[in-house]
Amino acid sequence: MHAKPLSGSAPGLADPLHPREFLVLVALADGAKHGYAVLKRVERESDGGVRLDPANLYRMLRRLDRDGLVADAGTEPGEGGRRRLFKLTPEGHRQVKTEALRVQRLATLLRARRLLPETGRSE
Amino acid sequence: MSAPRPLGSWVYRALLLAYPREFRDAHGREATETFVLLLGETSGLGPRINLWMRTIRSVVIDGMRERGFGSPRSRPSAGRWMAAAGRLRQSVRNGLRQWVRSPVHAVVATVSLAVGIGVAVAVLNVMLTLFVRPAVPGASSSLGVVGVWRDGNIQWSMAPGQVDRLSQRTRSFVALAGERFGWAWVTGVGPSLELEGSLVTFNYFDVLGLTPAIGRVFHEQDRASTATHSVAIISHRLWTDHFGAAVSVLGQTIEVNGQPVEILGVAPRGFRGPFQAQARDIWIPHELGHLTGQGAAGTLFRSGGTFEVIGRRGKGVSRIQAEEELLGLIRDGGPAEVISGVVVQHVRGVHPEQRSDLAETGRVALGIAGVLLTLTCINLGGLLYSRHLSRYKELSVRCALGGTRRGLVAELCAENLVVAVAAAGVSLVAAAAGQRLVANWFAYGFPGLHLPLTPTVAGLAMGLSVMVVLAFTIIPALLSTRSAPLAGLNERRPSSEGYRHTSRMQAGIAAAQVALSLMLVTGAAVMAASVSATLSVGGSDSDSILHYRLRPSRAGYTPQASLDYFAGLLADLDRVELVETAGLARVGVGRDWCCPLAVAYADQPGAVIRKVENNSVTAGFFDMLHIPLEAGRLFDATDTPASPPVAIVNRALADLLWPSASAVGQRLRTGEDDDVEVVQVVGVVATTHPSRSAEDPVPYLYLNFWQTKSVDGRLFVRVRGATGPAGRRLQAVLTGAGSGVHIGQVGTLADRIALGLAPQLALSGVLRASAGAGVVLSALGVYSLLSVSVRRRRRDDAIRLALGASRGAIVIGVLATGVRILGPGIALGVGLAWMQSRLLSGYIFGIQALDPMILGGATLAILIVGLLALGLPARRAAAVQPADVLRG
């Protein structure tokens, strides 16, 4: 399993989620979506930096499903047949929050070391 | 009924074979559907190539991981790796031995593969260069060229003031830089040079992220410290070719457009402009352009021109954000701005404006490369199949002795990989040697195209080679190892059903090769004939017309002095024996045949009728291009600068403006705003236009050269005999006719016209190479098939000879087999050539897209090559010695 729950303690800086998996979970955070919608959401939210191949996305969703972070949420009609919807499980929600806290802690640390600007443009 | 699936869907489903079946069953349909949606929303050839490359890499790697390869769980121990490597080594050694035993097969397979892969890779390399590869060394995806939507068109330039304003206010871009093209007349470096150059903003090289090879780039401080002279950065090519790559070039002063310019640095090697096929040699800061842009130089670096804008986006800023911000800033600029949108395109391949022009040509070229690759696959498949069949007995015996089918297939794959690696190497060597040829296809329109064989291209050649070989090894290997040993032994007998079946299959494969070759040869011949027809202006051979650009403005001539100079020059040329006829024009022909001019009826108040192409010419211009007069008169001595302006129209313009009356004597208002002139039509000439077909008549207006105000002009001279000696004689006359007049762009008219035919010439080159490769492949295919057939029939032929048959009858039997291949192949090829002609019709001028003469000639050529390929096997069949064969 890739994601490791931190059993209620403050999030550590180790054991992060894989960045692509994190982006997929974030994309599902505001409701159930089908594969194409997840893919476009990830691409948009990463400013085009992460472009997943559809098969790669379904492979990832299947793994997240096995890890209990994502679950089936029924189907909806699509052009070539019915499309499966995916949603975050409560455990998935918890993992996203944990990862977000971890990233926040990391950012705070980097700002304290002046490796990140406080606000505004990065360049 | 469901809609037909797009081709992309089939290809993606085929790629998904890399995943295990269970994954495909569970997610294959949805993944394919999602991919088709992605493909549908991706426009442009470059982005589509990108998407496919990314997808192939991802699917293959992830599919293998899903199958357990490379994952920590399934990673074999070092011992297993060693054992596998040992088995592979052994298989490769066995394979080498097998190929050494049949060297003809090995050479034929390697050459077939190398020819197909070599040409396909060369075409792909051109596509990568034109659409994907950045011209700026180390360019990142954050670099973008800015265009604006105005009146439904994208304009890729802005006024200098606007560039400065946007650069200061933008937060999406780290900075914006501007560039404006211009000709630079450089002296002080030995012989005078006419170079392509650019006026740029101070931050140009910083924005592009370029570090000079030597010296430095421009600084803001240069503005203050160089009040009396300008500064420049020169290209690496100029530095090595004309300054001997000496470091002392730094600080040296040269003259650009008659003004002193100090060299500050040398651009990095290979950089000639931000886009492929640009050929800049000198860059001068726009802010110091007034030092080289005034007076005599004003027409070179045109004052009042606009800038192409390139910017580097800040980190985390997407292209959409940058476009929205720039649109807001431009609209804030004032009420006069009528901009409906802003686009930011990657700085990759050629300029976006050329990219859209070339996209269709690129698609056709890729299609041709695909056909050639198919031909290669067919050829190789047939060859490997017949080779495996010839080893049927050996494989059957090994099966009988306990060899596993999996092991035999693996060994056959390893054996053929030897050929794949050899062929990839040969194809790369051939592609490297052929780079000059490929660059020549694109010499017109893309003179500086640099086509490097990068590791990516080498990987592509190797990957394609291995994929093709594996694909065409596994199936024949499975087929030839499927039977029980005894059945395998029986199936080699000529009378068996299996034998007849495989013979038919092989004959079909060879016929398909002949058909595809005929299609390619016909396409190449049609394109070559079309280009040749287009280059013949007015039915004459434009190779015998020399073209010069003459610039009295460089020597400070006034308009009147310039007219005196041109009149004297024509009188001088009249006395030269090698000159048949000479004409003058204000602008050139071919790609320069442009500059639309608004026309309206002079006697009727009203709006402009339309903008028409035009040129200012002398009477000799019509003689030179063999444009016949249809009504009225040509320009003559009565038409002087002081007399009322006159004009000549072509038939298409006359029919457009005065469909029911004579055009001669009519008056036209030309120009717009404050630059209006009324001209009287004195003659009508035929509708002739270089680089346009007769089916596409272009309305054209000819003004009188002697009644225009501009100072510079073009000289066209039709010479007798070879252009070389005539050119040398003319150079002497031109040099003596006027002191200081700059003579530039010397060449034949055919060269000038060809500039406008870049896509056709490139396509013609691709087709010629593909056709050549196709003919070689089909000849090899026919030869290898008949060789195998003759070897199989050897015993039968020996018996027939022993029973009294003549050797002639044996040869006729072989030839009949060959004709059974060539006949259907040619029939199918004619059909394919017809289909191809529909695809190429947009590129064909002056002849029919499927000219019967060309089709007949191509068919004859393929027939001759096919019969030659039959010759050697037929001779071998005739040389059979019955006693030796029957004894053996």
Side-chain angles (χ1 to χ4, degrees):
Chain A
M1 188 162 134
H2 290 261
K4 293 180 183 172
L6 295 169
S7 59
S9 62
L13 294 181
D15 304 326
L17 274 172
H18 190 285
R20 289 180 175 221
E21 290 178 347
F22 183 44
L23 281 169
V24 169
L25 292 177
V26 171
L28 290 170
D30 60 351
K33 290 180 187 63
H34 51 70
Y36 177 71
V38 174
L39 202 130
K40 295 308 290 180
R41 176 68 75 91
V42 167
E43 185 180 335
R44 196 172 72 238
E45 289 180 347
S46 63
D47 286 329
V50 177
R51 291 177 181 180
L52 296 169
D53 166 67
N56 181 235
L57 173 73
Y58 282 102
R59 183 170 173 250
M60 205 184 293
L61 285 170
R62 188 161 77 157
R63 197 167 55 228
L64 293 170
D65 188 10
R66 282 180 192 154
D67 291 347
L69 305 182
V70 161
D72 224 318
T75 60
E76 69 167 33
E79 277 181 23
R82 297 199 69 78
R83 294 194 288 206
R84 256 174 304 172
L85 294 167
F86 299 89
K87 66 176 183 186
L88 276 190
T89 59
E91 176 62 19
H93 272 291
R94 210 170 63 78
Q95 278 293 329
V96 171
K97 282 181 188 160
T98 307
E99 182 67 8
L101 282 171
R102 191 190 67 77
V103 172
Q104 191 184 34
R105 279 197 61 194
L106 197 59
T108 309
L109 183 65
L110 290 172
R111 280 203 195 91
R113 301 269 165 85
R114 296 184 183 283
L115 292 168
L116 264 184
E118 284 299 320
T119 52
R121 286 166 69 184
S122 56
E123 199 166 331
Chain B
M1 200 173 83
S2 63
R5 277 190 193 168
L7 180 65
S9 156
W10 291 105
V11 177
Y12 191 78
R13 283 199 82 86
L15 283 175
L16 284 182
L17 289 172
Y19 279 84
R21 188 188 187 115
E22 164 265 329
F23 179 88
R24 293 201 306 272
D25 290 345
H27 304 289
R29 184 190 59 77
E30 275 184 284
T32 307
E33 190 188 323
T34 307
F35 177 77
V36 169
L37 286 171
L38 282 179
L39 194 63
E41 69 185 28
T42 309
S43 59
L45 191 62
R48 279 185 170 229
I49 291 176
N50 260 333
L51 175 64
W52 274 111
M53 302 278 269
R54 219 171 51 229
T55 301
I56 291 170
R57 193 178 53 194
S58 170
V59 169
V60 170
I61 293 174
D62 287 331
M64 288 297 123
R65 281 186 187 148
E66 187 68 20
R67 283 179 183 275
F69 292 98
S71 70
R73 266 196 308 272
S74 70
R75 192 165 289 154
S77 63
R80 284 178 64 193
W81 274 118
M82 293 298 285
R87 278 198 302 276
L88 182 67
R89 227 180 3 252
Q90 185 60 39
S91 297
V92 168
R93 209 175 291 142
N94 286 344
L96 274 172
R97 266 202 296 273
Q98 289 290 344
W99 285 113
V100 168
R101 268 185 221 154
S102 51
V104 176
H105 260 122
V107 170
V108 169
T110 308
V111 170
S112 302
L113 201 55
V115 166
I117 302 276
V119 176
V121 163
V123 172
L124 282 172
N125 194 23
V126 171
M127 294 303 117
L128 283 175
T129 304
L130 292 179
F131 297 104
V132 181
R133 197 174 283 151
V136 181
S140 69
S141 58
S142 61
L143 271 185
V145 57
V146 180
V148 292
W149 280 96
R150 193 196 295 264
D151 299 332
N153 294 309
I154 299 181
Q155 289 184 352
W156 295 102
S157 57
M158 292 181 194
Q162 191 169 41
V163 180
D164 286 343
R165 194 172 62 81
L166 291 176
S167 190
Q168 285 161 13
R169 294 177 61 188
T170 180
R171 291 180 65 80
S172 303
F173 288 90
V174 176
L176 290 169
E179 176 184 24
R180 184 199 307 163
F181 168 78
W183 291 98
W185 175 238
V186 177
T187 48
V189 288
S192 302
L193 299 170
E194 184 182 298
L195 301 173
E196 292 188 21
S198 283
L199 284 181
V200 297
T201 49
F202 273 111
N203 60 356
Y204 179 76
F205 286 92
D206 292 330
V207 168
L208 291 180
L210 292 172
T211 311
I214 59 166
R216 64 173 176 85
V217 296
F218 304 126
H219 296 155
E220 277 290 330
Q221 296 87 312
D222 293 327
R223 198 194 299 265
S225 62
T226 54
T228 54
H229 66 279
S230 186
V231 290
I233 288 173
I234 61 171
S235 71
H236 200 279
R237 185 200 72 91
L238 185 64
W239 181 49
T240 50
D241 289 0
H242 294 277
F243 293 93
V247 180
S248 59
V249 72
L250 299 178
Q252 191 174 329
T253 299
I254 55 174
E255 278 198 359
V256 177
N257 303 341
Q259 301 295 325
V261 172
E262 181 193 341
I263 297 173
L264 288 184
V266 174
R269 181 196 290 272
F271 176 74
R272 303 286 300 278
F275 293 99
Q276 301 284 359
Q278 289 184 333
R280 314 278 191 263
D281 273 312
I282 188 163
W283 294 267
I284 292 172
H286 151 70
E287 289 84 347
L288 301 178
H290 62 282
L291 297 170
T292 55
Q294 293 296 310
T299 51
L300 292 184
F301 284 124
R302 293 190 189 99
S303 53
T306 52
F307 270 147
E308 282 183 3
V309 185
I310 290 176
R312 183 179 289 279
R313 274 175 287 134
K315 278 186 185 162
V317 179
S318 70
R319 278 199 295 161
I320 294 170
Q321 289 168 330
E323 286 168 357
E324 283 171 356
E325 191 219 28
L326 280 190
L327 181 61
L329 291 178
I330 289 172
R331 283 185 169 159
D332 283 349
E337 292 291 354
V338 194
I339 305 290
S340 57
V342 170
V343 285
V344 177
Q345 294 263 327
H346 287 302
V347 178
R348 279 187 196 144
V350 293
H351 192 278
E353 211 168 9
Q354 286 178 308
R355 220 178 285 165
S356 54
D357 290 346
L358 277 172
E360 183 63 33
T361 311
R363 272 193 283 272
V364 177
L366 278 177
I368 294 167
V371 168
L372 190 66
L373 210 53
T374 309
L375 195 53
T376 305
C377 291
I378 292 173
N379 192 297
L380 194 76
L383 192 75
L384 294 181
Y385 190 45
S386 61
R387 181 174 155 73
H388 288 174
L389 285 178
S390 68
R391 293 173 60 191
Y392 213 49
K393 190 173 177 182
E394 174 211 330
L395 296 173
S396 298
V397 169
R398 289 174 65 180
C399 278
L401 292 176
T404 63
R405 196 177 175 199
R406 188 177 166 180
L408 286 175
V409 170
E411 190 177 311
L412 288 172
C413 288
E415 182 183 320
N416 290 334
L417 278 179
V418 173
V419 166
V421 172
V426 175
S427 69
L428 272 180
V429 171
Q435 285 306 290
R436 189 179 290 273
L437 176 78
V438 176
N440 275 344
W441 301 342
F442 291 85
Y444 296 108
F446 306 98
L449 198 63
H450 181 49
L451 298 166
L453 282 177
T454 57
T456 312
V457 178
L460 202 64
M462 183 63 79
L464 266 177
S465 205
V466 170
M467 269 167 55
V468 167
V469 165
L470 282 183
F472 286 88
T473 296
I474 289 174
I475 295 170
L478 286 172
L479 285 176
S480 50
T481 54
R482 71 179 168 180
S483 304
L486 277 178
L489 291 171
N490 284 336
E491 207 154 324
R492 280 199 70 212
R493 287 164 53 198
S495 57
S496 72
E497 182 59 29
Y499 174 80
R500 278 200 295 277
H501 174 71
T502 53
S503 292
R504 273 201 301 273
M505 187 193 281
Q506 287 172 309
I509 287 171
Q513 289 174 41
V514 171
L516 287 173
S517 303
L518 177 57
M519 182 189 88
L520 289 174
V521 170
T522 310
V526 166
M527 280 302 296
S530 164
V531 168
S532 170
T534 313
L535 290 178
S536 299
V537 183
S540 63
D541 182 3
S542 52
D543 270 339
S544 61
I545 299 173
L546 286 170
H547 160 266
Y548 299 86
R549 185 160 68 178
L550 303 175
R551 291 194 183 127
S553 62
R554 297 283 77 72
Y557 281 52
T558 61
Q560 185 53 48
S562 152
L563 288 180
D564 293 342
Y565 159 75
F566 281 120
L569 179 62
L570 285 185
D572 289 347
L573 290 172
D574 215 21
R575 288 192 288 274
V576 179
E577 233 180 64
L578 293 171
V579 173
E580 193 178 315
T581 176
L584 291 164
R586 286 299 176 195
V587 295
V589 297
R591 200 167 63 167
D592 298 334
W593 186 286
C594 64
C595 317
L597 184 70
V599 295
Y601 299 115
D603 304 325
Q604 298 172 18
V608 167
I609 302 165
R610 65 177 290 172
K611 289 191 170 184
V612 295
E613 295 187 23
N614 67 98
N615 202 348
S616 299
V617 302
T618 61
F621 184 84
F622 299 103
D623 277 351
M624 189 208 47
L625 290 182
H626 293 172
I627 302 175
L629 179 69
E630 294 191 353
R633 64 171 176 89
L634 295 179
F635 301 128
D636 59 26
T638 59
D639 304 318
T640 64
S643 63
V646 291
I648 292 171
V649 294
N650 73 353
R651 176 53 62 196
L653 183 58
D655 290 346
L656 178 79
L657 296 177
W658 301 283
S660 55
S662 168
V664 177
Q666 305 280 2
R667 294 169 72 235
L668 272 179
R669 194 174 73 237
T670 63
E672 284 179 291
D673 303 328
D674 54 350
D675 189 19
V676 172
E677 189 175 55
V678 173
V679 296
Q680 184 169 29
V681 177
V682 294
V684 178
V685 293
T687 303
T688 304
H689 195 302
S691 76
R692 298 285 174 90
S693 66
E695 297 83 42
D696 180 24
V698 177
Y700 208 90
L701 177 70
Y702 298 94
L703 300 168
N704 190 335
F705 182 89
W706 305 110
Q707 293 179 324
T708 49
K709 299 183 189 74
S710 54
V711 179
D712 298 332
R714 311 282 179 129
L715 172 69
F716 298 93
V717 185
R718 180 184 290 283
V719 297
R720 296 188 177 94
T723 50
R728 282 192 288 279
R729 178 78 187 91
L730 286 181
Q731 191 72 33
V733 174
L734 291 171
T735 312
S739 64
V741 173
H742 171 216
I743 304 161
Q745 285 193 8
V746 183
T748 66
L749 183 58
D751 291 339
R752 297 294 308 155
I753 296 170
L755 280 173
L757 296 177
Q760 285 90 338
L761 286 166
L763 208 53
S764 178
V766 172
L767 264 168
R768 276 204 304 274
S770 302
V775 169
V776 171
L777 287 174
S778 64
L780 286 175
V782 171
Y783 165 75
S784 62
L785 173 68
L786 286 175
S787 293
V788 172
S789 168
V790 164
R791 200 182 313 138
R792 277 185 177 165
R793 294 161 45 145
R794 209 158 161 249
R795 198 174 172 82
D796 288 3
D797 289 344
I799 293 170
R800 289 175 63 197
L801 281 172
L803 292 176
S806 69
R807 292 192 183 275
I810 302 293
V811 171
I812 287 172
V814 175
L815 291 179
T817 310
V819 170
R820 277 202 295 275
I821 296 167
L822 291 175
I826 285 173
L828 181 62
V830 170
L832 288 176
W834 177 78
M835 284 162 63
Q836 177 187 242
S837 69
R838 297 172 69 88
L839 189 70
L840 292 178
S841 58
Y843 298 88
I844 304 295
F845 301 125
I847 60 165
Q848 289 178 38
L850 189 61
D851 191 276
M853 289 293 288
I854 290 176
L855 183 60
T859 307
L860 190 65
I862 289 288
L863 200 60
I864 290 171
V865 171
L867 289 174
L868 285 176
L870 290 177
L872 201 59
R875 225 180 76 179
R876 204 179 296 147
V880 167
Q881 295 300 326
D884 293 347
V885 174
L886 295 173
R887 201 181 301 133

